[in-house]
Amino acid sequence: MTLAIAERVDSRREKVVRHFALTDTIFHWACRLAAILVLVILGGVFVSLVSGSWAALDKFGFAFLTTARWSPVTETFGALAPIYGTLITSGIAILIAVPVGIGIAVFLTELCPRPLRRPIAIAVELLAGIPSIIYGIWGLFVFAPFLQRTLQPFLIDVFANVPVLNAVFAGPPYGIGILTSSLILAIMILPFIASITKDVFDTVPGVLKESAYGIGCTTWEVVRRIVIPHTRVGIMGGVMLALGRALGETMAVTFVIGNSHRLTASIIAPGTTISATIANEFTEADADVYVSSLMSLGLILFFITFLILAAARYMLLRMGRQAGA
């Protein structure tokens, strides 16, 4: 009787072990297939872009990257102006949004009264939920006219006699232009930086901050010497996420940048970006080389995003190693 019970227990235990082994194997292969699927999709996108852009790259060669002329009539295309506009607008947006976003995170974690923290944090996060086309409409009909009457004339007058800066802020105040689109992008990416930075600030052990305050450190010293060094990897991750959003933003930028294929030193003047050019002209492209040129712009944006994210991962890896050391 005892032997039969033991055999029954062993059989049941063996079934449980087999069940666990089967579910673990299924889980293992499901995760592996998910990872492989991502690589397959990424590879498919890359192959499609290369295939679609081959005609333009074969016709124009390297000159496609160094030429600013964009003429569908003569079928002469160059990507320099969209590349320049993409990098400039994203760069200005990051320069504006990063300090503001970190300031919001510092205020919410260190200075804000406790009853107001949650409402302000929710208000900041709601900015990320507004569709980009709403930002574009608001920028075109409200923000751009406001800048045309106020900020742009002020910048033109202030820097009129300053070398170099008079070229950066030159031209009539159109309202729309590179500066306007950069400010719109800064507003759009601000919630990403502020929310992620706040979350990583909250991970700082309270004992570290309390110890710093206990020896007489000010809030500025605590943030500078305790909070930011402890969370710099997370902050950089948030900045890179925001930069990726800025590089690929389409509709909001299309509304307010002016869509002009020309190079100019002035950030007040109209310009264009890769995403705006594709969105504006893809439905009008009737020639094969025209379509291929637009596909080439997509391929260039793919490479720009990939290089920036790869550089960010390398920086995060080095920062993590230095923190561990």
Side-chain angles (χ1 to χ4, degrees):
M1 186 69 178
T2 304
L3 181 60
I5 295 175
E7 290 179 351
R8 192 178 304 168
V9 170
D10 291 340
S11 176
R12 187 174 301 174
R13 185 179 302 168
E14 184 178 356
K15 290 181 180 180
V16 171
V17 171
R18 288 178 180 176
H19 175 72
F20 286 161
L22 179 61
T23 54
D24 186 68
T25 302
I26 294 174
F27 176 76
H28 175 79
W29 278 103
C31 293
R32 176 173 293 185
L33 289 176
I36 294 174
L37 180 62
V38 171
L39 296 178
V40 170
I41 294 174
L42 187 63
V45 171
F46 177 74
V47 171
S48 299
L49 289 174
V50 172
S51 176
S53 61
W54 186 256
L57 297 177
D58 182 60
K59 179 178 180 179
F60 302 112
F62 187 75
F64 185 76
L65 300 176
T66 59
T67 304
R69 179 175 173 80
W70 187 274
S71 176
V73 177
T74 60
E75 294 189 353
T76 303
F77 301 100
L80 186 59
I83 294 173
Y84 171 80
T86 300
L87 297 179
I88 291 296
T89 53
S90 300
I92 296 175
I94 286 293
L95 289 177
I96 296 172
V98 168
V100 176
I102 294 177
I104 293 174
V106 171
F107 176 76
L108 291 176
T109 55
E110 304 295 332
L111 302 173
C112 182
R114 189 169 297 274
L116 296 178
R117 289 184 181 179
R118 187 168 183 81
I120 296 177
I122 292 175
V124 172
E125 292 174 356
L126 283 176
L127 290 175
I130 300 176
S132 60
I133 194 170
I134 302 300
Y135 279 110
I137 295 174
W138 172 76
L140 180 63
F141 292 106
V142 178
F143 196 53
F146 172 77
L147 294 181
Q148 186 181 22
R149 295 190 306 266
T150 57
L151 181 61
Q152 291 184 354
F154 172 76
L155 293 175
I156 294 172
D157 294 338
V158 167
F159 298 108
N161 299 318
V162 181
V164 180
L165 292 180
N166 59 358
V168 175
F169 298 100
Y174 294 104
I176 60 175
I178 294 176
L179 178 61
T180 305
S181 61
S182 300
L183 294 174
I184 294 292
L185 280 178
I187 297 173
M188 295 180 67
I189 66 177
L190 181 61
F192 295 93
I193 299 175
S195 298
I196 294 176
T197 304
K198 174 188 174 297
D199 290 340
V200 297
F201 280 0
D202 287 335
T203 64
V204 178
V207 64
L208 294 179
K209 295 190 289 184
E210 292 171 3
S211 300
Y213 284 123
I215 62 175
C217 291
T218 63
T219 303
W220 163 247
E221 290 173 329
V222 170
V223 172
R224 179 187 176 189
R225 301 184 181 278
I226 303 296
V227 176
I228 291 181
H230 192 274
T231 59
R232 56 183 179 178
V233 174
I235 295 174
M236 184 61 66
V239 172
M240 290 301 108
L241 177 64
L243 180 57
R245 170 72 187 274
L247 287 170
E249 179 53 43
T250 304
M251 294 310 302
V253 174
T254 303
F255 272 85
V256 297
I257 198 170
N259 304 302
S260 174
H261 284 271
R262 62 191 182 95
L263 291 177
T264 175
S266 175
I267 62 174
I268 295 178
T272 189
T273 64
I274 293 176
S275 300
T277 300
I278 295 173
N280 273 324
E281 304 188 23
F282 207 88
T283 56
E284 302 175 0
D286 50 0
D288 292 340
V289 68
Y290 195 180
V291 176
S292 181
S293 298
L294 295 175
M295 294 289 287
S296 299
L297 290 180
L299 180 63
I300 293 170
L301 183 60
F302 182 91
F303 269 115
I304 291 175
T305 306
F306 175 80
L307 291 176
I308 290 177
L309 293 180
R313 294 299 302 175
Y314 176 73
M315 290 175 58
L316 292 175
L317 181 62
R318 290 198 58 182
M319 292 168 65
R321 289 177 177 175
Q322 290 175 0

